[in-house]
Amino acid sequence: MRVVIAEDLALLREGLIRILRANSFEVVEAVDNGPALIRSLTTHRPDVAIVDVRLPPTFTDEGLRSAIEARRQIPGLPIMVLSQYVEQIYARELMSDRAGAVGYLLKDRVTDVDQFVASVRQVATGSTVMDPDVVSALLTHRSTDPKLLELSPREHEVLTLMAEGRSNAAIAARMFVTEKTVSNHSNSIFTKLGLKPSEDDNRRILAVLAYLEG
């Protein structure tokens, strides 16, 4: 898999390069600012971009904006965003075009190398990944929603894991239940939330995240 990295901190940038190369990724370029990121993505058209939200020259959300701009030119470009803190607006902006796989992880997650690499692969192959802390913030934001209050504790657990980007199979393994049980919970969740059911894992994930962002 071909990767472009955008990270202004040299130490972290080199760390990401080493981790990815050690796990059979091809890092085609690593840049440290927003304009260079757009040029790199449109030139190399990688399988996935790993982008720090805050990049020069503004050090606000330059990385996110640059990645979104590149995806306007390359529809469906998979983007994994790394952030120091949970910011719901970043998740909302990242998913706003509904035009490709996305991931949003806190930088601390990079230290769990196996999980980080798995998340990058998941995004590169067309799925969605959301940091558990981001999902928690979204759920807290909607904590008084009458429809969410109708969910049973088990359904709430399934909803949380689904929003993190886990497939039915992964949820079943995490909860020590069968996939059929997860599917039944999922159908019940979608009915209670008024969402259209889908057999596609990623469509379900996106639907749930869109509802939570409400």
Side-chain angles (χ1 to χ4, degrees):
M1 289 181 177
R2 300 169 68 251
V3 185
V4 164
I5 297 170
E7 169 57 59
D8 67 298
L9 296 176
L11 189 62
L12 180 53
R13 188 170 62 248
E14 292 303 315
L16 288 169
I17 292 171
R18 287 196 299 271
I19 288 170
L20 293 167
R21 285 179 174 166
N23 285 276
S24 303
F25 289 88
E26 179 188 355
V27 180
V28 293
E29 191 170 9
V31 300
D32 63 0
N33 64 80
L37 173 59
I38 295 176
R39 288 195 299 271
S40 182
L41 293 178
T42 53
T43 298
H44 296 293
R45 295 177 176 255
D47 297 305
V48 62
I50 300 175
V51 180
D52 184 358
V53 168
R54 302 188 179 202
L55 288 176
T58 66
F59 287 103
T60 54
D61 59 355
E62 187 75 15
L64 177 64
R65 296 293 173 194
S66 297
I68 290 173
E69 173 56 34
R71 191 150 73 175
R72 290 194 184 100
Q73 301 179 49
I74 311 171
L77 173 69
I79 300 170
M80 168 71 82
V81 165
L82 301 179
S83 178
Q84 192 70 39
Y85 308 104
V86 173
E87 291 285 355
Q88 292 180 46
I89 191 170
Y90 294 158
R92 188 176 301 115
E93 291 287 338
L94 187 60
M95 298 179 61
S96 61
D97 62 5
R98 302 287 192 268
V102 297
Y104 179 5
L105 293 178
L106 296 182
K107 287 187 175 181
D108 289 349
R109 309 299 181 192
V110 176
T111 59
D112 185 344
V113 173
D114 289 344
Q115 185 58 52
F116 172 69
V117 168
S119 295
V120 174
R121 291 190 191 282
Q122 192 172 336
V123 173
T125 54
S127 296
T128 298
V129 174
M130 282 288 149
D131 192 284
D133 286 358
V134 175
V135 174
S136 178
L138 291 172
L139 287 167
T140 299
H141 172 67
R142 297 296 296 269
S143 61
T144 59
D145 185 320
K147 291 181 179 179
L148 288 177
L149 293 175
E150 290 182 14
L151 301 182
S152 69
R154 205 63 163 163
E155 288 169 349
H156 195 278
E157 185 178 359
V158 170
L159 176 70
T160 300
L161 294 172
M162 194 185 304
E164 290 175 11
R166 300 177 190 272
S167 65
N168 276 7
I171 294 172
R174 177 71 172 266
M175 296 177 64
F176 302 103
V177 297
T178 66
E179 284 190 53
K180 181 174 176 56
T181 298
V182 173
S183 180
N184 289 339
H185 284 313
S186 177
N187 290 337
S188 177
I189 291 167
F190 272 61
T191 297
K192 290 179 180 179
L193 298 185
L195 299 175
K196 184 178 179 180
S198 172
E199 293 301 315
D200 180 86
D201 282 329
N202 201 49
R203 287 184 184 276
R204 285 198 301 274
I205 294 163
L206 292 175
V208 166
L209 286 170
Y211 181 88
L212 293 177
E213 287 169 3

